[in-house]
Amino acid sequence: MLQQIWHLFLAFFRATMLGFGGGPSIIPIYENEVVNQFGWMTTEEFGKALAMGNALPGPIATKLAAYIGFKVAGWPGAAAALIAVVMPTAVAMIALVGVMNKLSGNPIVRGMIKGIQPVIFVMLAMLAYDFAKYAFQSAPELGKFGFLPFLIAAVYFIAVQYLQINAVWGVVGALAAGALFFRG
């Protein structure tokens, strides 16, 4: 049990410290640790956890860490994973805030930030691609309504992006559609 708790801490600490750009951009690193490195979940299980985590309020990184930690080693596992995600970055942020304020005008630092932005874009695109495989996989139980996941995605995108409807209502609507059509 203690070894699993240590592995949870190590996996989430390593992923969090290697990730750059916030929760969504480090999800592929989390997936690699959880699925490929330690085998705590399958890719499909990780995708389902990610879907449910995104339906709840709050940062996705902490929700995934807590859920996976709990699944692997109960409450101690959830605590270890959360500590690994929150503490290192909180301490680093507090320590570096003064340094960043002094260096924010430095052209080298500005260049470094501009250089990392395309990498963060690719990490987010990888996450979207991986997630799309689960979101749009065929659902035999839908029969002639197999297009429904695409319809939900399109309606959500149009409603939030163009009609300026609050994203929360889109999430509520998608949950309702799922409850009605994706039973099983």
Side-chain angles (χ1 to χ4, degrees):
M1 177 74 148
L2 285 176
Q3 185 177 13
Q4 280 195 315
I5 292 170
W6 169 247
H7 284 160
L8 280 163
F9 179 85
L10 183 66
F12 283 99
F13 177 83
R14 183 171 44 213
T16 299
M17 295 312 291
L18 292 175
F20 187 88
S25 67
I26 62 174
I27 300 303
I29 303 171
Y30 282 3
E31 182 178 16
N32 182 60
E33 291 286 335
V34 170
V35 175
N36 301 330
Q37 185 72 25
F38 290 100
W40 292 320
M41 293 179 149
T42 65
T43 305
E44 185 177 344
E45 289 172 324
F46 187 87
K48 288 178 181 178
L50 181 60
M52 282 310 298
N54 275 313
L56 298 171
I60 187 63
T62 54
K63 291 181 287 188
L64 273 178
Y67 172 74
I68 293 165
F70 185 80
K71 185 177 186 298
V72 171
W75 288 109
L82 277 172
I83 289 168
V85 169
V86 175
M87 288 305 292
T89 54
V91 170
M93 187 70 181
I94 292 166
L96 293 176
V97 73
V99 175
M100 282 304 292
N101 283 337
K102 289 183 181 185
L103 296 177
S104 63
N106 184 305
I108 293 172
V109 172
R110 283 192 312 232
M112 291 168 66
I113 292 169
K114 287 200 179 285
I116 198 67
Q117 287 173 337
V119 172
I120 293 170
F121 167 76
V122 169
M123 292 174 78
L124 290 170
M126 288 168 43
L127 173 64
Y129 174 75
D130 285 343
F131 194 69
K133 289 188 285 188
Y134 306 110
F136 300 118
Q137 67 186 0
S138 65
E141 69 273 7
L142 291 178
K144 64 182 178 179
F145 295 108
F147 65 90
L148 199 54
F150 293 102
L151 180 64
I152 291 171
V155 168
Y156 182 86
F157 179 77
I158 291 167
V160 173
Q161 185 68 29
Y162 296 108
L163 302 178
Q164 305 298 312
I165 293 174
N166 189 312
V168 171
W169 294 115
V171 170
V172 170
L175 288 170
L180 290 172
F181 298 104
F182 294 114
R183 296 177 188 179

